[in-house]
Structure formats: structure tokens, C-alpha cells
Amino acid sequence: MISHSAIAQLEKRLDSLINNSINQGEPGIALYIENKGKIIYNKGFGLPDTDSKKSIDAKTNFRLASVSKQFTAMCLLLLEKDQKLSFDDPISKFLPELPSELGHKILLRHLITHTSGILDYEDIMDNSSSRQLLDIDVLNILKTQHKTYFNPGTEFRYSNSGYALLALIVERVSGQSFPEFMNKRVFKPLKMNNSRVYESEIKIPNRSMGFARNKDKELYANDQSSTSAIKGDGGVYCSLLDYRKWTHAIWNNSLVNLPAVLPRLNISIKEVTGSFYGPGWFYFDKGIPALFHSGSTCGFSTYSINIPSQKTSIVYFSNIAGNSEPFKRILEALNEEGIHNPSEVFSLHQLTR
């Protein structure tokens, strides 16, 4: 445990670092750090919306983008716990619309570990339409395809398509909508009372809006894209306050025993030595398993590092797209203060494309 004086010094340094990365009246950043089970930083900077008169704080909801995948994966793990599915099931059991040469060869474990080789919907969708796609639209796009990038189970290739299909499988197995299942089985038990899966017609409390920078580094509103309504690959909204509850649930095995799951449900990633992808998490297992995921959309940047055995969590949410530089500097500051970062996080972040 770092000393009280070191914590105070670190707090001032992080305050300065983040303040210097955003301008007054701009969207911003929320940062939460817990080390050895003690909160040492939990603050927000900037605005949830440029029209807002209040600042970002620990209750502000951000679109998690691909950090959402750990929540989608948890829904599948809960259904496995209920004995309603097996990760060795072929996905044709749940998605008979897919061509048989795909549905029979691709297993659930391939979808959840990004080893299915299924085509990226972003590469084959109709970009001329202004209508937002839903998860069912991803299935409708993929059911016309008869090939994969590689033989399922043989390689790692990050796939938003796979996680959109997982959300549909949750619906078909549970008989509930994906947001309903998530709320009933994840958010409510963990008292994540303000977290939501995005639905255009449902209000999100304490919602931040997304922004991006143009080539001149000027900010502009950029909250939604044609793929922003797809739920399984990136549709969760969450705050620092609720995400801490999620983190503690992982540490305490409140929903499932994640450390027990990782050895049987993972893929080794050859591009980064010693790294793996499990259900919704990248991780290193170098004596002290360190979990990592990042998310990036048209208007948000999110990062999460979780070291369960050390009860250490570093969570960074920003409502500015591509806003990774402050996070890099935060990790450098933490390392210098003795909170080491065993994850080579940006080498893994690049794998999400």
C-alpha cells in the first residue's frame, strides 16, 4: 500500500495531468483508481455535454464501447451456469439462419474468444443507408456470407460481429431481450442501478454525449453512428460508481468464478507474447493475471485494467473519441509512484482495430 503522503502527491499530479489535457467548457474524462482495495482516485473533469452546466463526476454514464464485451460475455457465462448452453455448442443450434458451413463449424467458444473467423459486419454493411443497424441486422448481413477469414478455432481476429451474434443468442436462449436479461441478471444483482444497455427509446440517466476532433483538433458532437445501436459489441452505458461494483463482483466471484473460467475458455494471442483473450477480456498471465480491455467509438474512449489478485483497478472513461494520450500519461505516473502496470495495454488495444 502506498503511503498517505504518496497518495496526496499522486492525486495532485493526476489532477494537473488531466486538467492540462482538456480545456474549459469541453467534454472530458473520468478516472477511478483502486489499489490493494483502497480507492486512491475517483474524479471527473470536463463536461458530459457542452450544453451542460454540471461537470463529469463518478455518476456520469459513458458509452463503454468494447469494454461492454465483458458484460455480454458474462451473460453467456450465466446461461452456461444455468446449464442452458455449452460453449462447445455449434452456433447453428441458436442461429439456424446462418449458412450450414458456418453455423456447424463455429462454436460458441469461437465467438466469445474472437476465433470464429466470421466476417466483420463493418466491412460488408450498406454504408449508403442512414438507418442505424441492430444486432439482428448483423445476423441478416452475415447469413448471406458463406466464408470465414480462417478455419474457426485456428486464429485470433477481433470480431464485433461475433459479439453482436452473442447478444442474439442470449435473447434466444433466455426468452428475454438482451437489455432485459442484462438488467435482471447483472445490473440488478450488483446494484448497478444507473447502468443501461443502449436502446434509442430509453432514457439513460446522467448520460454523457460523445465528441470527436476534426483535423484541426476542433471538437464537434459525434455521439451516434450507423452502428451505435448494436448492443452486444459495445452498447453498455456505465459510470465509475457502477463500474466499481462490477469490478468488486469480479474480485468476489459474485456472478461466476472468472479465474476458474479463464483456463478453459481462452485463446493465446501470438501477436503479443504471453497474452490471451478470454470471455470479454484480454489478459496476461505472468504469475499475476492482469485483465484489460479498451473501447473506442465515434465519440468515446474507454480503458479498464483489472488485477484481481492485487485488488487493483484502473478505469478511464472519456467522451472524446481517440482520447488515449492522457491515459498513457496516467499509466506512466502510476508506474513512477509504485503502482505497476503489468499489462502492455496499448499493444493489446491495437488488436481491437
Side-chain angles (χ1 to χ4, degrees):
M1 183 73 69
I2 60 177
S3 67
H4 290 295
S5 60
I7 290 174
Q9 181 181 357
L10 175 62
E11 182 177 11
K12 289 181 181 178
R13 182 175 180 182
L14 294 175
D15 286 349
S16 176
L17 190 159
I18 299 174
N19 274 318
N20 288 334
S21 71
I22 58 175
N23 297 319
Q24 187 173 0
E26 289 187 351
I29 293 166
L31 177 66
Y32 151 68
I33 303 167
E34 190 165 354
N35 180 237
K36 304 272 177 70
K38 178 181 176 61
I39 297 175
I40 61 174
Y41 200 87
N42 189 23
K43 291 185 180 182
F45 298 79
L47 303 177
D49 190 336
T50 50
D51 294 330
S52 177
K53 294 183 179 179
K54 65 178 183 178
S55 298
I56 288 170
D57 60 25
K59 295 181 180 179
T60 302
N61 268 322
F62 292 79
R63 184 181 182 90
L64 296 191
S66 283
V67 173
S68 303
K69 287 183 170 68
Q70 58 204 239
F71 292 92
T72 301
M74 181 59 74
C75 291
L76 275 297
L77 292 174
L78 288 169
L79 288 171
E80 183 199 38
K81 186 177 179 181
D82 295 342
Q83 299 184 337
K84 292 186 176 180
L85 55 78
S86 164
F87 286 106
D88 291 319
D89 288 333
I91 62 173
S92 58
K93 180 177 180 180
F94 314 102
L95 306 170
E97 300 95 323
L98 291 173
S100 59
E101 58 265 43
L102 270 67
H104 293 323
K105 289 197 301 183
I106 298 173
L107 308 181
L108 270 181
R109 67 170 56 250
H110 297 149
L111 290 185
I112 207 166
T113 58
H114 300 289
T115 55
S116 69
I118 204 161
L119 300 187
D120 296 327
Y121 68 79
E122 300 98 326
D123 292 341
I124 52 178
M125 60 186 280
D126 179 7
N127 289 304
S128 65
S129 174
S130 59
R131 184 180 69 85
Q132 282 193 316
L133 295 180
L134 300 173
D135 301 73
I136 190 64
D137 295 310
V138 174
L139 176 60
N140 289 333
I141 291 170
L142 294 173
K143 72 181 184 182
T144 66
Q145 306 299 312
H146 294 266
K147 62 180 181 179
T148 55
Y149 293 118
F150 47 79
N151 192 36
T154 62
E155 297 182 34
F156 173 89
R157 181 185 170 107
Y158 191 81
S159 176
N160 285 320
S161 294
Y163 270 71
L165 295 182
L166 286 174
L168 292 176
I169 291 170
V170 169
E171 293 187 336
R172 294 183 177 187
V173 173
S174 70
Q176 302 170 55
S177 74
F178 184 64
E180 286 172 340
F181 186 87
M182 185 78 75
N183 191 50
K184 180 180 178 181
R185 297 296 301 276
V186 179
F187 296 156
K188 282 191 174 179
L190 302 184
K191 295 182 170 55
M192 297 173 65
N193 298 324
N194 289 309
S195 297
R196 300 286 188 276
V197 174
Y198 177 77
E199 297 175 275
S200 60
E201 68 278 12
I202 303 298
K203 182 178 179 180
I204 297 170
N206 304 315
R207 177 180 176 179
S208 62
M209 305 302 289
F211 293 81
R213 296 188 187 277
N214 61 24
K215 58 183 177 59
D216 297 319
K217 305 298 183 182
E218 297 168 333
L219 282 162
Y220 63 95
N222 203 39
D223 187 74
Q224 293 287 299
S225 72
S226 58
T227 62
S228 292
I230 298 173
K231 301 173 180 63
D233 63 356
V236 171
Y237 275 76
C238 189
S239 65
L240 293 183
L241 180 64
D242 272 5
Y243 196 85
R244 181 171 184 255
K245 297 173 184 176
W246 167 251
T247 299
H248 283 216
I250 292 172
W251 294 349
N252 298 328
N253 303 322
S254 299
L255 298 177
V256 301
N257 186 336
L258 187 60
V261 170
L262 292 177
R264 66 177 176 84
L265 196 60
N266 69 67
I267 179 68
S268 176
I269 303 173
K270 63 182 179 181
E271 291 89 345
V272 182
T273 302
S275 70
F276 301 82
Y277 197 96
W281 287 96
F282 290 95
Y283 70 98
F284 284 88
D285 194 356
K286 299 176 180 178
I288 302 175
L291 310 174
F292 167 76
H293 218 291
S294 61
S296 179
T297 71
C298 59
F300 294 87
S301 306
T302 57
Y303 297 90
S304 173
I305 298 172
N306 188 337
I307 311 172
S309 64
Q310 294 184 349
K311 288 187 165 48
T312 293
S313 177
I314 305 165
V315 184
Y316 171 101
F317 298 157
S318 175
N319 56 337
I320 304 173
N323 197 25
S324 64
E325 284 303 317
F327 185 63
K328 291 180 183 179
R329 294 196 294 273
I330 288 164
L331 292 183
E332 291 169 1
L334 294 177
N335 187 62
E336 291 172 12
E337 295 295 337
I339 302 175
H340 298 290
N341 167 32
S343 298
E344 301 160 21
V345 292
F346 287 98
S347 59
L348 294 172
H349 172 58
Q350 297 306 315
L351 297 176
T352 66
R353 297 185 308 282

PDB file of all heavy atoms in Angstrom, residues 232-249:
ATOM      1  N   GLY A 232     -24.572  -5.925 -28.508  1.00  0.00           N
ATOM      2  CA  GLY A 232     -23.679  -6.940 -27.970  1.00  0.00           C
ATOM      3  C   GLY A 232     -22.214  -6.594 -28.016  1.00  0.00           C
ATOM      4  O   GLY A 232     -21.441  -7.040 -27.168  1.00  0.00           O
ATOM      5  N   ASP A 233     -21.814  -5.776 -28.997  1.00  0.00           N
ATOM      6  CA  ASP A 233     -20.389  -5.490 -29.137  1.00  0.00           C
ATOM      7  C   ASP A 233     -19.960  -4.208 -28.457  1.00  0.00           C
ATOM      8  O   ASP A 233     -18.753  -3.953 -28.334  1.00  0.00           O
ATOM      9  CB  ASP A 233     -19.984  -5.459 -30.614  1.00  0.00           C
ATOM     10  CG  ASP A 233     -20.683  -4.360 -31.412  1.00  0.00           C
ATOM     11  OD1 ASP A 233     -21.545  -3.658 -30.847  1.00  0.00           O
ATOM     12  OD2 ASP A 233     -20.374  -4.211 -32.611  1.00  0.00           O
ATOM     13  N   GLY A 234     -20.929  -3.377 -27.987  1.00  0.00           N
ATOM     14  CA  GLY A 234     -20.477  -2.126 -27.381  1.00  0.00           C
ATOM     15  C   GLY A 234     -21.559  -1.226 -26.830  1.00  0.00           C
ATOM     16  O   GLY A 234     -21.363  -0.018 -26.736  1.00  0.00           O
ATOM     17  N   GLY A 235     -22.705  -1.775 -26.424  1.00  0.00           N
ATOM     18  CA  GLY A 235     -23.854  -0.948 -26.116  1.00  0.00           C
ATOM     19  C   GLY A 235     -24.115  -0.610 -24.661  1.00  0.00           C
ATOM     20  O   GLY A 235     -25.148  -0.019 -24.341  1.00  0.00           O
ATOM     21  N   VAL A 236     -23.199  -0.952 -23.753  1.00  0.00           N
ATOM     22  CA  VAL A 236     -23.440  -0.683 -22.327  1.00  0.00           C
ATOM     23  C   VAL A 236     -23.034   0.743 -21.973  1.00  0.00           C
ATOM     24  O   VAL A 236     -21.984   1.229 -22.396  1.00  0.00           O
ATOM     25  CB  VAL A 236     -22.670  -1.684 -21.435  1.00  0.00           C
ATOM     26  CG1 VAL A 236     -22.735  -1.277 -19.965  1.00  0.00           C
ATOM     27  CG2 VAL A 236     -23.221  -3.095 -21.618  1.00  0.00           C
ATOM     28  N   TYR A 237     -23.887   1.417 -21.189  1.00  0.00           N
ATOM     29  CA  TYR A 237     -23.561   2.713 -20.577  1.00  0.00           C
ATOM     30  C   TYR A 237     -23.363   2.492 -19.090  1.00  0.00           C
ATOM     31  O   TYR A 237     -24.176   1.830 -18.432  1.00  0.00           O
ATOM     32  CB  TYR A 237     -24.695   3.718 -20.796  1.00  0.00           C
ATOM     33  CG  TYR A 237     -24.615   4.433 -22.118  1.00  0.00           C
ATOM     34  CD1 TYR A 237     -24.979   3.785 -23.295  1.00  0.00           C
ATOM     35  CD2 TYR A 237     -24.175   5.749 -22.203  1.00  0.00           C
ATOM     36  CE1 TYR A 237     -24.912   4.437 -24.520  1.00  0.00           C
ATOM     37  CE2 TYR A 237     -24.114   6.421 -23.419  1.00  0.00           C
ATOM     38  CZ  TYR A 237     -24.478   5.753 -24.575  1.00  0.00           C
ATOM     39  OH  TYR A 237     -24.396   6.409 -25.779  1.00  0.00           O
ATOM     40  N   CYS A 238     -22.283   3.052 -18.554  1.00  0.00           N
ATOM     41  CA  CYS A 238     -21.942   2.808 -17.151  1.00  0.00           C
ATOM     42  C   CYS A 238     -21.140   3.988 -16.611  1.00  0.00           C
ATOM     43  O   CYS A 238     -20.483   4.711 -17.373  1.00  0.00           O
ATOM     44  CB  CYS A 238     -21.127   1.520 -17.056  1.00  0.00           C
ATOM     45  SG  CYS A 238     -20.823   0.910 -15.388  1.00  0.00           S
ATOM     46  N   SER A 239     -21.189   4.174 -15.312  1.00  0.00           N
ATOM     47  CA  SER A 239     -20.437   5.226 -14.620  1.00  0.00           C
ATOM     48  C   SER A 239     -19.287   4.609 -13.832  1.00  0.00           C
ATOM     49  O   SER A 239     -19.228   3.394 -13.630  1.00  0.00           O
ATOM     50  CB  SER A 239     -21.359   5.979 -13.658  1.00  0.00           C
ATOM     51  OG  SER A 239     -21.797   5.101 -12.621  1.00  0.00           O
ATOM     52  N   LEU A 240     -18.388   5.451 -13.350  1.00  0.00           N
ATOM     53  CA  LEU A 240     -17.337   4.965 -12.461  1.00  0.00           C
ATOM     54  C   LEU A 240     -17.929   4.306 -11.221  1.00  0.00           C
ATOM     55  O   LEU A 240     -17.430   3.281 -10.739  1.00  0.00           O
ATOM     56  CB  LEU A 240     -16.416   6.111 -12.033  1.00  0.00           C
ATOM     57  CG  LEU A 240     -15.533   6.769 -13.085  1.00  0.00           C
ATOM     58  CD1 LEU A 240     -14.649   7.816 -12.421  1.00  0.00           C
ATOM     59  CD2 LEU A 240     -14.684   5.748 -13.831  1.00  0.00           C
ATOM     60  N   LEU A 241     -18.983   4.900 -10.690  1.00  0.00           N
ATOM     61  CA  LEU A 241     -19.613   4.377  -9.478  1.00  0.00           C
ATOM     62  C   LEU A 241     -20.115   2.957  -9.693  1.00  0.00           C
ATOM     63  O   LEU A 241     -19.856   2.053  -8.892  1.00  0.00           O
ATOM     64  CB  LEU A 241     -20.768   5.286  -9.054  1.00  0.00           C
ATOM     65  CG  LEU A 241     -21.535   4.873  -7.793  1.00  0.00           C
ATOM     66  CD1 LEU A 241     -20.632   4.924  -6.567  1.00  0.00           C
ATOM     67  CD2 LEU A 241     -22.753   5.780  -7.594  1.00  0.00           C
ATOM     68  N   ASP A 242     -20.836   2.728 -10.797  1.00  0.00           N
ATOM     69  CA  ASP A 242     -21.360   1.401 -11.067  1.00  0.00           C
ATOM     70  C   ASP A 242     -20.266   0.442 -11.515  1.00  0.00           C
ATOM     71  O   ASP A 242     -20.308  -0.747 -11.197  1.00  0.00           O
ATOM     72  CB  ASP A 242     -22.458   1.471 -12.139  1.00  0.00           C
ATOM     73  CG  ASP A 242     -23.837   1.730 -11.543  1.00  0.00           C
ATOM     74  OD1 ASP A 242     -23.920   1.955 -10.325  1.00  0.00           O
ATOM     75  OD2 ASP A 242     -24.827   1.711 -12.300  1.00  0.00           O
ATOM     76  N   TYR A 243     -19.284   0.951 -12.240  1.00  0.00           N
ATOM     77  CA  TYR A 243     -18.232   0.061 -12.717  1.00  0.00           C
ATOM     78  C   TYR A 243     -17.414  -0.485 -11.545  1.00  0.00           C
ATOM     79  O   TYR A 243     -16.919  -1.616 -11.599  1.00  0.00           O
ATOM     80  CB  TYR A 243     -17.317   0.767 -13.721  1.00  0.00           C
ATOM     81  CG  TYR A 243     -16.462  -0.198 -14.515  1.00  0.00           C
ATOM     82  CD1 TYR A 243     -16.947  -0.813 -15.667  1.00  0.00           C
ATOM     83  CD2 TYR A 243     -15.172  -0.522 -14.095  1.00  0.00           C
ATOM     84  CE1 TYR A 243     -16.172  -1.715 -16.382  1.00  0.00           C
ATOM     85  CE2 TYR A 243     -14.398  -1.424 -14.798  1.00  0.00           C
ATOM     86  CZ  TYR A 243     -14.902  -2.016 -15.944  1.00  0.00           C
ATOM     87  OH  TYR A 243     -14.137  -2.923 -16.644  1.00  0.00           O
ATOM     88  N   ARG A 244     -17.277   0.294 -10.493  1.00  0.00           N
ATOM     89  CA  ARG A 244     -16.587  -0.215  -9.298  1.00  0.00           C
ATOM     90  C   ARG A 244     -17.336  -1.418  -8.728  1.00  0.00           C
ATOM     91  O   ARG A 244     -16.715  -2.382  -8.262  1.00  0.00           O
ATOM     92  CB  ARG A 244     -16.454   0.889  -8.245  1.00  0.00           C
ATOM     93  CG  ARG A 244     -15.724   0.423  -6.992  1.00  0.00           C
ATOM     94  CD  ARG A 244     -15.406   1.585  -6.048  1.00  0.00           C
ATOM     95  NE  ARG A 244     -14.622   1.107  -4.914  1.00  0.00           N
ATOM     96  CZ  ARG A 244     -15.116   0.930  -3.684  1.00  0.00           C
ATOM     97  NH1 ARG A 244     -16.382   1.220  -3.417  1.00  0.00           N
ATOM     98  NH2 ARG A 244     -14.338   0.486  -2.708  1.00  0.00           N
ATOM     99  N   LYS A 245     -18.664  -1.381  -8.758  1.00  0.00           N
ATOM    100  CA  LYS A 245     -19.454  -2.516  -8.281  1.00  0.00           C
ATOM    101  C   LYS A 245     -19.192  -3.746  -9.151  1.00  0.00           C
ATOM    102  O   LYS A 245     -19.100  -4.878  -8.644  1.00  0.00           O
ATOM    103  CB  LYS A 245     -20.939  -2.161  -8.273  1.00  0.00           C
ATOM    104  CG  LYS A 245     -21.291  -1.025  -7.329  1.00  0.00           C
ATOM    105  CD  LYS A 245     -22.744  -0.588  -7.490  1.00  0.00           C
ATOM    106  CE  LYS A 245     -23.065   0.613  -6.606  1.00  0.00           C
ATOM    107  NZ  LYS A 245     -24.452   1.107  -6.809  1.00  0.00           N
ATOM    108  N   TRP A 246     -19.089  -3.525 -10.437  1.00  0.00           N
ATOM    109  CA  TRP A 246     -18.766  -4.600 -11.371  1.00  0.00           C
ATOM    110  C   TRP A 246     -17.377  -5.183 -11.064  1.00  0.00           C
ATOM    111  O   TRP A 246     -17.197  -6.403 -11.017  1.00  0.00           O
ATOM    112  CB  TRP A 246     -18.831  -4.046 -12.783  1.00  0.00           C
ATOM    113  CG  TRP A 246     -18.255  -4.890 -13.875  1.00  0.00           C
ATOM    114  CD1 TRP A 246     -17.121  -4.662 -14.588  1.00  0.00           C
ATOM    115  CD2 TRP A 246     -18.818  -6.099 -14.413  1.00  0.00           C
ATOM    116  NE1 TRP A 246     -16.925  -5.644 -15.525  1.00  0.00           N
ATOM    117  CE2 TRP A 246     -17.952  -6.543 -15.440  1.00  0.00           C
ATOM    118  CE3 TRP A 246     -19.951  -6.842 -14.114  1.00  0.00           C
ATOM    119  CZ2 TRP A 246     -18.195  -7.698 -16.176  1.00  0.00           C
ATOM    120  CZ3 TRP A 246     -20.195  -8.003 -14.856  1.00  0.00           C
ATOM    121  CH2 TRP A 246     -19.322  -8.419 -15.868  1.00  0.00           C
ATOM    122  N   THR A 247     -16.416  -4.308 -10.842  1.00  0.00           N
ATOM    123  CA  THR A 247     -15.057  -4.738 -10.524  1.00  0.00           C
ATOM    124  C   THR A 247     -15.034  -5.597  -9.267  1.00  0.00           C
ATOM    125  O   THR A 247     -14.408  -6.661  -9.228  1.00  0.00           O
ATOM    126  CB  THR A 247     -14.148  -3.513 -10.335  1.00  0.00           C
ATOM    127  OG1 THR A 247     -14.111  -2.757 -11.551  1.00  0.00           O
ATOM    128  CG2 THR A 247     -12.743  -3.922  -9.947  1.00  0.00           C
ATOM    129  N   HIS A 248     -15.730  -5.162  -8.242  1.00  0.00           N
ATOM    130  CA  HIS A 248     -15.751  -5.915  -6.991  1.00  0.00           C
ATOM    131  C   HIS A 248     -16.467  -7.249  -7.159  1.00  0.00           C
ATOM    132  O   HIS A 248     -16.112  -8.236  -6.497  1.00  0.00           O
ATOM    133  CB  HIS A 248     -16.396  -5.081  -5.889  1.00  0.00           C
ATOM    134  CG  HIS A 248     -15.491  -4.027  -5.339  1.00  0.00           C
ATOM    135  ND1 HIS A 248     -15.470  -3.659  -4.010  1.00  0.00           N
ATOM    136  CD2 HIS A 248     -14.542  -3.256  -5.937  1.00  0.00           C
ATOM    137  CE1 HIS A 248     -14.564  -2.714  -3.814  1.00  0.00           C
ATOM    138  NE2 HIS A 248     -14.001  -2.456  -4.984  1.00  0.00           N
ATOM    139  N   ALA A 249     -17.461  -7.287  -8.037  1.00  0.00           N
ATOM    140  CA  ALA A 249     -18.149  -8.552  -8.308  1.00  0.00           C
ATOM    141  C   ALA A 249     -17.202  -9.558  -8.944  1.00  0.00           C
ATOM    142  O   ALA A 249     -17.280 -10.771  -8.670  1.00  0.00           O
ATOM    143  CB  ALA A 249     -19.353  -8.314  -9.214  1.00  0.00           C
TER     144      ALA A 249
END
